[in-house]
């Protein structure tokens, strides 16, 4: 796709698609995502170790299939896939086929056991893991104008915005269902809302239209024949959507204005409850990692006198675990657990709806 002229007005979805994944896009830059922001994968090898333990639990639930797939969505430079393979017991690693799904070219020196793909393999059995993928699936942005009608936000390559046409069709339906479920067209007291009545929200309110993420997640999950799909991301839920949206950028480790010129990451938090398919469940990263043995507890001081080197290592590990599970930080990420053909797979990390850390339980989902 040719780069749009700097003065061309486009919706945020189209503009971000080119800025992130076009020929000169942000995710094709040689430094990779780690050069601009820190994910759980980059924060500590404890994260890959925890995912490896989840894969081992799933392996047992699946009856130890051969091969066992590990699919890393939005793999960056393959750091998570490589870390998981390194952390697996040898018997499991020998049966594991690892796939890194990424639009950028395969990095030099990556473990040759990892297959590099631009879309997930179909018909596999195992674990599909999407760490901070959905927040980079581009979406359009809506803003309610002076008349209260949500309109598409148009943007130029320099980040300048203006309002376009009203949001209609499936996107309007998504907003009414998932972002502004209480919003409606004004009508006389006691009157029924007419079919197709325009959605009306408070002037200046903004929303990210997450329907492309719902579709992307459903497509990724459908790649599994049996197993578990997990999406880990910044999340918000019906009843607590941010009133002005979450669209932002990251450049060189700092939050920045979202400018769709390829110079920065463009991201927005994810409506994980909208993405969830029937049987899905969302828990916090803090709860998930603790269930997988990642704890920020300090080692006993007695270890310092008996084995100082082990104490220092344990203390460093506790610090890394604390970062991964911190309230107000990475620990508040949502983990969407989506079982496929394995009854109870979503319970590998939780014991039921009352489990600490449960955010959303999805018994049914008419939108998918």
């Amino acid at each position: 796709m040719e780069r749009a002229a700097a003065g061309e007005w486009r919706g945020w979805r189209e503009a971000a698609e080119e800025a992130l994944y076009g020929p000169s896009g942000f995710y094709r830059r040689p430094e990779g995502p780690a050069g601009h922001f820190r994910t759980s994968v980059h924060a500590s090898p404890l994260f890959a170790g925890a995912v490896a333990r989840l894969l081992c639990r799933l392996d047992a639930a699946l009856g130890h299939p051969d091969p066992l797939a590990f699919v890393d969505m939005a793999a960056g430079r393959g750091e998570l896939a490589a870390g998981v393979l390194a952390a697996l017991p040898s018997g499991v690693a020998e049966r594991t086929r690892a796939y890194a799904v990424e639009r950028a070219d395969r990095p030099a020196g990556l473990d040759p056991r990892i297959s590099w793909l631009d879309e997930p393999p179909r018909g596999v059995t195992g674990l599909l893991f999407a760490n901070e993928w959905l927040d980079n699936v581009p979406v359009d942005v809506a803003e309610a104008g002076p008349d209260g009608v949500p309109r598409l936000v148009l943007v130029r390559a320099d980040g300048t915005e203006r309002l376009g046409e009203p949001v209609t069709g499936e996107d309007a339906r998504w907003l009414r269902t998932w972002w502004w479920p209480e919003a409606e067209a004004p009508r006389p007291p006691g009157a029924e809302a007419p079919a197709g009545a325009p959605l009306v929200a408070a002037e200046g309110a903004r929303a990210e239209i997450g329907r492309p993420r719902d579709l992307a997640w459903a497509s990724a999950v459908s790649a599994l024949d049996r197993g578990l799909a997990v999406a880990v991301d910044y999340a918000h839920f019906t009843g607590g959507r941010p009133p002005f949206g979450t669209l932002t950028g990251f450049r060189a480790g700092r939050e920045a204005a979202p400018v769709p010129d390829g110079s920065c990451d463009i991201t927005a938090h994810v409506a994980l409850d909208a993405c969830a398919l029937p049987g899905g469940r969302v828990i916090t990263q803090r709860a998930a990692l603790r269930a997988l043995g990642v704890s920020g507890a300090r080692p006993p001081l007695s270890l310092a006198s008996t084995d100082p080197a082990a104490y220092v290592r344990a203390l460093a590990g506790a610090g890394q675990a604390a970062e991964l599970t911190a309230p107000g930080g990475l620990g508040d990420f949502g983990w969407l657990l989506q079982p496929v053909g394995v009854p109870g797979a979503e319970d590998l990390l939780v014991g039921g709806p009352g489990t600490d850390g449960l955010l959303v339980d999805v018994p049914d989902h008419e939108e998918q």
Side-chain angles (χ1 to χ4, degrees):
M1 179 171 60
E2 294 184 3
R3 190 174 187 80
E8 181 181 347
W9 294 101
R10 299 182 290 172
W12 266 106
R13 182 182 180 189
E14 180 184 346
E17 178 70 27
E18 181 177 329
L20 295 177
Y21 305 113
S24 302
F26 175 82
Y27 278 99
R28 297 187 184 275
R29 295 169 61 137
E31 69 271 22
H36 294 270
F37 53 85
R38 182 181 176 87
T39 72
S40 298
V41 177
H42 307 124
S44 171
L46 294 175
F47 189 80
V51 176
R53 286 191 288 279
L54 175 58
L55 181 59
C56 288
R57 292 184 187 182
L58 180 62
D59 178 50
L62 290 167
H64 309 289
D66 188 3
L68 172 69
F70 176 69
V71 183
D72 180 13
M73 297 292 297
R77 296 300 178 264
E79 299 97 333
L80 179 59
V84 168
L85 283 177
L88 288 173
S90 59
V92 180
E94 289 171 359
R95 289 184 287 107
T96 298
R97 300 292 178 268
Y99 304 89
V101 182
E102 180 58 71
R103 297 199 197 185
D105 294 336
R106 182 188 182 98
L110 184 65
D111 189 323
R113 293 176 294 174
I114 300 173
S115 298
W116 194 263
L117 306 174
D118 59 6
E119 60 182 29
R122 314 298 297 183
V124 296
T125 295
L127 176 63
L128 182 144
F129 202 89
N131 185 62
E132 295 195 47
W133 168 49
L134 289 174
D135 69 296
N136 287 128
V137 173
V139 293
D140 277 319
V141 177
E143 180 177 326
D147 56 359
V149 175
R151 296 173 179 272
L152 196 66
V153 176
L154 304 180
V155 64
R156 295 193 303 198
D158 63 1
T160 304
E161 293 182 338
R162 71 172 176 86
L163 297 188
E165 295 298 313
V167 179
T168 59
E170 289 299 311
D171 285 346
R173 183 183 180 206
W174 190 94
L175 287 175
R176 189 186 296 276
T177 301
W178 291 108
W179 199 287
W180 290 310
E182 303 302 322
E184 58 187 6
R187 62 183 188 273
E192 293 287 338
L199 176 67
V200 176
E203 180 181 357
R206 285 172 69 113
E208 290 102 28
I209 306 172
R211 197 167 66 90
R213 293 169 173 177
D214 299 357
L215 297 173
W217 179 243
S219 178
V221 172
S222 72
L224 287 176
D225 183 41
R226 289 194 308 140
L228 180 68
V230 180
V232 181
D233 239 308
Y234 303 93
H236 48 63
F237 304 94
T238 300
R241 307 287 188 213
F244 302 107
T246 61
L247 186 73
T248 191
F250 284 92
R251 182 188 294 110
R254 295 180 179 273
E255 191 168 5
V259 179
D261 61 359
S263 68
C264 67
D265 184 29
I266 297 172
T267 179
H269 295 195
V270 182
L272 279 181
D273 50 347
C275 294
L277 298 164
R281 180 174 295 173
V282 183
I283 64 174
T284 63
Q285 173 157 300
R286 181 166 51 259
L289 290 183
R290 285 177 177 171
L292 292 168
V294 177
S295 169
R298 293 172 62 92
L301 284 173
S302 58
L303 184 62
S305 57
T306 59
D307 191 341
Y311 177 78
V312 170
R313 290 193 299 271
L315 193 62
Q320 294 171 10
E323 180 181 0
L324 291 172
T325 59
L330 295 174
D332 289 346
F333 273 39
W335 280 42
L336 169 55
L337 312 175
Q338 195 74 60
V340 179
V342 187
E346 73 278 17
D347 291 328
L348 293 172
L349 296 180
V350 295
T355 299
D356 177 51
L358 182 74
L359 298 175
V360 175
D361 212 355
V362 187
D364 195 7
H365 196 317
E366 295 180 357
E367 296 301 310
Q368 297 291 352

